[in-house]
Amino acid sequence: MALRTLVTRKTLRTLPLGFRGLQTFSLPDLPYDYGALEPAISGDIMQIHHQKHHQAYITNYNKALEQLDGAIAKGDASTVVKLQSAIKFNGGGHVNHSIFWKNLAPIREGGGEPPKGSLGWAIDNHFGSIDALIQKMNAEGAALQGSGWVWLGVDKELKRLVVETTANQDPLVTKGPSLVPLLGIDVWEHAYYLQYKNVRPDYLKNIWKVINWKYASEVFEKECP
Amino acid sequence: MAASAAAAIGSPLKCGLISSQGFSGSTRSFLWRKNEKRNVRKGCRGVVTAKIDLRPPPYSLDALEPHMSRETFEYHWGKHHRAYVDNLNKQIVGTELDTKTLEDIILLTYNKGDLLPPFNNAAQVWNHDFFWESMKPGGGGKPSGELLELINRDFGSFEGFVNEFKAAAATQFGSGWAWLVYKANRLNVGNAVNPLPSDEDKKLVVVKSPNAVNPLVWDYSPLLTIDVWEHAYYLDFQNRRPDYISTFMEKLVSWDAVNSRLEAAKARAAEREEEEERKKTEYEDNQADLDAREMYLESSDAADDSEAD
């Protein structure tokens, strides 16, 4: 099942000035069944995470964009500014989760298989080994207070790998404009609570069994050919 | 959580100027260093330390069923709250924080927003104590008496308050808390007086806070809270936070607790007003003395001048 992002064009209204249509977003399909990542991540979690949480970010993002569109058209600067946090939360939620689904793969489709090629070499070079990278990401993910993400990214200017965390739904780019996400691990409680309860470290240990290194390598090779 | 705390231990950290809430207005440079020996009363029983306890909720773990499940309590109180207590004790043992009250630890480690590592644990211990006590079996309904009057005054109506509280709880993005607080506007400046010393200053307000932050750090008096970290509702409600919030308001809120907190908050505000009045009078007396002395000096200069002439 190929991943398709459905995009709908929706014109708000026809204004004399030939006002542009507003592009809204829909929930992308998962490239695997909800239960396909078990036992690392339960089917229940995948279903609620995708159909409820990600969908809610998209719904609220679309709503915020509509309101933003209206405010821009009216020249309502203070509303435009006020909407920025809703756009960051919900738009960030959509961006981050879209990446997350691609970061995961069932074991029989290569989930958990360590990266070969240039990404594997870069990881060994920068962190010493894959295990060292995983230790570092797990430590930072476990230490994150509240809600957020832990990322493996590449600085496309410096051509260097980085491990970063972001709070709430802030995308990786908020930590540096030239950072490109390769892998993101959601450490919001909704990502693991039904299965792992308070034991976030166990979730972090197990998720690596279904991490899709192939996708990460593709992105890396595009940024660092 | 453990990793960043571990990284901080062993390196000295300075607290900058601390606001005068609860302290006698002195400024101290506060060194937080683990393993530093501190002066303790050494009796034949050995070193005395003030360990923070894990307090149980004032009801059994299944008492709020079916609105908040026993399973939730087993994790929320038994694992999360317990971990905050244990981790806090580990962080403060052997440091200057070890002898302080929980509230003092919170205010010190808040460090005007530049959080020191024990803050998250300390504040979360306090927040969860406060949260369990904000609920009771057979809770919900409406407040009465002065509390209701103040709610009507400051929110227009009880429904107005409920809507605002629910909205704050629903829109606290990520982890955090929503609060009803009693706010007694004060200027935090040594010798200044609140420019608006009218009764309208003592207001009920709804606020929300992220992660571990609570209104103590803003010098407000919390009256009621709801935990909106996902762990608080995920087992019972999954993603349906608004349902959790409604259930909390309709079935769980302990208005008794809110009432007694309001009484305490008003008493505290009255005490502070008296203290400020006292300081103001003191200051004015000092000013009067200074003025008197100046006048005396001026008049003696004048006498010299006239003699020189």
Side-chain angles (χ1 to χ4, degrees):
Chain A
M1 217 196 322
L3 181 78
R4 9 182 250 287
T5 304
L6 298 172
V7 158
T8 58
R9 287 210 84 73
K10 180 165 137 196
T11 313
L12 270 184
R13 52 191 176 280
T14 328
L15 293 180
L17 298 166
F19 198 77
R20 60 173 169 53
L22 178 69
Q23 179 171 312
T24 55
F25 298 88
S26 323
L27 188 64
D29 284 343
L30 293 194
Y32 38 77
D33 291 335
Y34 289 131
L37 304 181
E38 298 204 346
I41 306 179
S42 74
D44 280 349
I45 287 186
M46 289 306 294
Q47 181 165 6
I48 297 176
H49 203 172
H50 181 244
Q51 286 182 356
K52 305 288 182 184
H53 290 276
H54 190 175
Q55 178 63 68
Y57 290 127
I58 288 173
T59 305
N60 291 328
Y61 184 40
N62 287 338
K63 218 176 350 181
L65 287 177
E66 272 191 51
Q67 292 172 329
L68 180 68
D69 216 22
I72 291 176
K74 282 190 277 174
D76 182 353
S78 76
T79 300
V80 168
V81 171
K82 212 167 57 163
L83 285 168
Q84 295 311 306
S85 62
I87 287 172
K88 185 170 158 193
F89 297 159
N90 294 296
H94 173 51
V95 165
N96 293 338
H97 285 85
S98 300
I99 296 170
F100 187 51
W101 310 135
K102 295 188 240 188
N103 284 156
L104 303 171
I107 294 176
R108 67 168 184 282
E109 288 173 34
E113 229 176 78
K116 320 212 172 29
S118 58
L119 178 57
W121 186 86
I123 287 175
D124 286 346
N125 201 33
H126 188 94
F127 298 101
S129 64
I130 295 266
D131 281 342
L133 167 64
I134 290 175
Q135 296 263 34
K136 183 173 169 67
M137 286 185 71
N138 286 353
E140 302 221 5
L144 193 149
Q145 295 287 337
S147 310
W149 292 75
V150 57
W151 303 94
L152 171 67
V154 62
D155 186 323
K156 63 183 178 196
E157 305 296 320
L158 302 176
K159 307 292 187 213
R160 271 178 69 234
L161 293 176
V162 298
V163 167
E164 274 292 352
T165 57
T166 56
N168 298 331
Q169 291 300 349
D170 294 356
L172 179 61
V173 75
T174 57
K175 280 291 175 92
S178 48
L179 296 182
V180 175
L182 303 176
L183 288 180
I185 299 180
D186 190 350
V187 291
W188 280 63
E189 286 170 330
H190 66 236
Y192 60 88
Y193 208 80
L194 291 179
Q195 185 178 355
Y196 293 95
K197 311 292 192 309
N198 58 302
V199 194
R200 194 193 282 178
D202 280 358
Y203 159 69
L204 289 169
K205 210 171 54 180
N206 283 304
I207 198 173
W208 293 100
K209 301 180 183 150
V210 290
I211 286 288
N212 183 6
W213 284 106
K214 264 188 278 185
Y215 170 78
S217 291
E218 278 165 23
V219 179
F220 180 75
E221 281 158 23
K222 208 170 62 144
E223 298 300 335
C224 303
Chain B
M1 198 166 23
S4 65
I9 284 172
S11 63
L13 292 168
K14 267 205 174 83
C15 249
L17 195 86
I18 298 176
S19 72
S20 56
Q21 349 156 313
F23 302 96
S24 49
S26 59
T27 66
R28 341 197 302 223
S29 145
F30 178 70
L31 269 166
W32 180 74
R33 200 203 309 257
K34 189 167 162 53
N35 298 327
E36 181 172 73
K37 276 208 178 357
R38 51 182 176 72
N39 283 338
V40 284
R41 257 185 311 115
K42 285 191 183 132
C44 44
R45 269 169 292 142
V47 171
V48 174
T49 60
K51 217 166 79 98
I52 306 293
D53 299 327
L54 175 66
R55 299 214 303 246
Y59 37 74
S60 62
L61 297 189
D62 60 1
L64 302 189
E65 296 253 8
H67 313 298
M68 187 175 281
S69 68
R70 173 180 142 119
E71 198 195 3
T72 290
F73 269 100
E74 280 172 0
Y75 287 101
H76 201 176
W77 174 76
K79 307 280 184 185
H80 291 273
H81 193 179
R82 187 184 303 275
Y84 292 128
V85 170
D86 292 346
N87 290 333
L88 176 64
N89 283 325
K90 274 187 239 162
Q91 281 175 314
I92 66 176
V93 71
T95 73
E96 288 178 27
L97 292 173
D98 206 357
T99 52
K100 306 242 179 288
T101 65
L102 186 57
E103 292 200 14
D104 283 353
I105 297 173
I106 292 170
L107 295 176
L108 281 168
T109 57
Y110 182 66
N111 197 21
K112 299 229 154 191
D114 187 12
L115 311 181
L116 299 178
F119 176 79
N120 283 308
N121 290 317
Q124 284 291 77
V125 171
W126 192 95
N127 296 339
H128 284 86
D129 286 342
F130 195 80
F131 179 49
W132 309 139
E133 288 161 14
S134 296
M135 297 185 286
K136 70 174 204 192
K142 271 178 86 151
S144 56
E146 195 195 350
L147 175 56
L148 183 59
E149 278 172 30
L150 288 181
I151 287 178
N152 287 332
R153 184 195 72 182
D154 294 334
F155 296 99
S157 63
F158 179 63
E159 289 65 38
F161 156 69
V162 169
N163 288 337
E164 206 178 309
F165 188 79
K166 283 182 168 184
T171 58
Q172 174 47 42
F173 196 73
S175 313
W177 304 76
W179 307 84
L180 172 65
V181 304
Y182 182 75
K183 180 183 179 195
N185 276 332
R186 293 172 68 230
L187 269 188
N188 190 21
V189 179
N191 62 356
V193 182
N194 189 337
L196 300 169
S198 68
D199 227 29
E200 280 205 66
D201 267 356
K202 303 186 190 86
K203 285 189 70 165
L204 295 180
V205 177
V206 163
V207 292
K208 56 190 179 184
S209 61
N211 295 346
V213 177
N214 66 36
L216 294 177
V217 308
W218 303 320
D219 201 22
Y220 293 174
S221 298
L223 303 181
L224 173 67
T225 195
I226 182 173
D227 187 351
V228 291
W229 283 62
E230 286 176 326
H231 65 236
Y233 58 91
Y234 216 81
L235 296 179
D236 295 335
F237 293 91
Q238 293 81 59
N239 60 300
R240 300 179 335 264
R241 193 196 283 190
D243 287 349
Y244 159 66
I245 297 168
S246 295
T247 300
F248 174 83
M249 292 308 298
E250 289 159 26
K251 309 284 188 195
L252 295 175
V253 175
S254 167
W255 288 113
D256 295 335
V258 179
N259 249 320
S260 41
R261 291 159 176 175
L262 176 63
E263 293 307 308
K266 279 162 44 196
R268 246 192 325 267
E271 255 175 57
R272 279 176 167 180
E273 269 189 354
E274 279 173 31
E275 177 68 14
E276 274 168 17
E277 271 308 306
R278 196 187 57 76
K279 281 198 186 144
K280 180 178 167 197
T281 340
E282 228 177 75
Y283 176 73
E284 284 170 353
D285 287 347
N286 283 338
Q287 286 301 100
D289 283 347
L290 287 171
D291 290 345
R293 262 176 261 143
E294 278 176 23
M295 278 178 358
Y296 175 72
L297 290 169
E298 280 172 19
S299 61
S300 65
D301 284 348
D304 286 342
D305 283 349
S306 59
E307 275 175 14
D309 279 339

